[in-house]
Amino acid sequence: MTTVYDFKARGIDGKDIDLKQYQGKVLLIVNTASECGFTPQYKGLEAVYEQFAGKGVEVLGFPCNQFGAQEPGSNADIGHFCEANYGVTFPLFDKIDVNGDAAHPLFKHLKSEAPGLMGTEAIKWNFTKFLVRKDGRVYKRYAPQTEPMELVKDIEKLLTE
């Protein structure tokens, strides 16, 4: 069985990251953008990270420019923006595609394991969220408009599994 721990991704600093390093943790994986109406959710994502990081939760942000070209900057621009404007300390990754032929393999996996409404796999917009169990299996997909703090009960549930 494939889990999220079977994938690698490039960090925002350009270094390869083996997602196996997160094994045994609950993961909140999000496709992000700096110029989106949902961008203020960075604050909520950071709050979730701060509340749960010491309890075995990681928030992983994957910038994406596929929706309205709302993530036009370089990795350095994105990292600076997130830190300066929202105090982001959770891991950010290299800008990727989440849909289409060039979609990152991790997101292909996430979408197939947790399809959206009516079974569609495509991600509709920035700040789609995936919650992943400690064993690396996808638990649930959340819509862009779902605020990060609305996931707290599900995160707490997964921490006790």
Side-chain angles (χ1 to χ4, degrees):
M1 178 178 79
T2 302
T3 72
V4 298
Y5 305 129
D6 296 323
F7 296 93
K8 294 181 179 165
R10 185 168 292 125
I12 201 158
D13 61 2
K15 294 179 183 169
D16 287 335
I17 296 172
D18 190 336
L19 297 186
K20 276 186 175 59
Q21 77 179 36
Y22 299 114
Q23 205 155 2
K25 295 187 176 192
V26 172
L27 302 179
L28 176 55
I29 301 174
V30 187
N31 67 301
T32 62
S34 299
E35 297 179 5
C36 176
F38 295 119
T39 300
Q41 286 189 21
Y42 270 125
K43 185 176 181 180
L45 292 169
E46 181 63 22
V48 167
Y49 182 64
E50 289 175 8
Q51 180 177 347
F52 291 103
K55 299 175 182 173
V57 175
E58 289 285 345
V59 175
L60 307 179
F62 286 83
C64 177
N65 195 39
Q66 286 190 290
F67 306 101
Q70 295 179 342
E71 190 62 280
S74 68
N75 283 352
D77 294 337
I78 294 164
H80 176 74
F81 172 85
C82 291
E83 185 179 335
N85 293 288
Y86 295 100
V88 168
T89 61
F90 59 83
L92 293 170
F93 290 78
D94 190 24
K95 189 167 26 174
I96 61 163
D97 283 353
V98 297
N99 289 330
D101 292 340
H104 191 283
L106 171 64
F107 275 82
K108 289 180 180 180
H109 173 73
L110 292 170
K111 295 184 304 181
S112 71
E113 293 296 307
L117 289 176
M118 300 175 67
T120 59
E121 288 190 13
I123 290 178
K124 302 285 189 254
W125 205 253
N126 303 308
F127 290 89
T128 297
K129 300 156 199 74
F130 293 88
L131 197 56
V132 178
R133 292 179 165 93
K134 291 187 266 184
D135 65 3
R137 291 180 302 125
V138 180
Y139 173 70
K140 192 173 179 184
R141 177 196 287 216
Y142 302 85
Q145 60 269 28
T146 303
E147 291 289 335
M149 293 307 286
E150 293 178 47
L151 280 60
V152 167
K153 284 185 179 170
D154 286 345
I155 291 169
E156 289 173 337
K157 174 186 174 198
L158 295 184
L159 283 171
T160 62
E161 281 188 343

